[in-house]
Amino acid sequence: MGYLSAVRRYLTRSTLRRYAFSTIAWKSMGRSIAAFHQAEALRVQAEQRYVEMTPRRDPMEELEARLFLHDLASVASRPQYELAALRLQGYSIAETARQSGMTPKRVRSLLRELYRVYFQLYPREP
């Protein structure tokens, strides 16, 4: 882009004609490359800030969630399993309902039934 802007400026500004075109072109291309590197450095910094701000999940929590989903798959219907998976990913009841095309009341009902069946199979220890 630096070369093209040099051509345009050289042809439209008569005051630049006293210099060789190569001088104008090299200066323009150098500025274009410097601007690119500066923008790239800013992008990398923004990406690093985003990665640093993103909370890291505990591997044990993730393993427990996967094991829980595995157990749920054995007792759940397909819609119940999908709802439980969305809830384990952190979606709220309202978001889960929107995602699955159900009402929040229906989502709660299906999940309540699923949890009841699950806890009958795997009772909690006191």
Side-chain angles (χ1 to χ4, degrees), residues 53-101:
M53 288 175 33
T54 305
R56 298 175 199 254
R57 291 191 66 180
D58 180 24
M60 287 305 289
E61 283 181 16
E62 200 152 324
L63 178 62
E64 287 174 0
R66 288 177 188 262
L67 290 173
F68 183 70
L69 270 178
H70 178 73
D71 289 345
L72 282 180
S74 65
V75 295
S77 67
R78 183 79 178 156
Q80 287 174 325
Y81 179 79
E82 290 171 359
L83 294 175
L86 288 172
R87 290 290 288 148
L88 283 172
Q89 290 174 19
Y91 287 92
S92 69
I93 293 287
E95 291 169 331
T96 302
R98 225 175 294 123
Q99 192 91 358
S100 61

Side-chain angles (χ1 to χ4, degrees), residues 11-42:
L11 294 176
T12 58
R13 294 185 188 165
S14 58
T15 56
L16 295 178
R17 300 252 170 89
R18 62 182 164 180
Y19 303 106
F21 173 73
S22 61
T23 302
I24 304 299
W26 280 111
K27 292 278 186 184
S28 184
M29 288 186 293
R31 281 193 301 267
S32 179
I33 290 171
F36 170 78
H37 286 295
Q38 184 179 10
E40 186 66 14
L42 289 174

Side-chain angles (χ1 to χ4, degrees), residues 22 38 43-44 77 84 89-90 103 112 118:
S22 61
Q38 184 179 10
R43 184 194 65 77
V44 167
S77 67
Q89 290 174 19
T103 65
R112 194 175 304 118
Y118 178 79

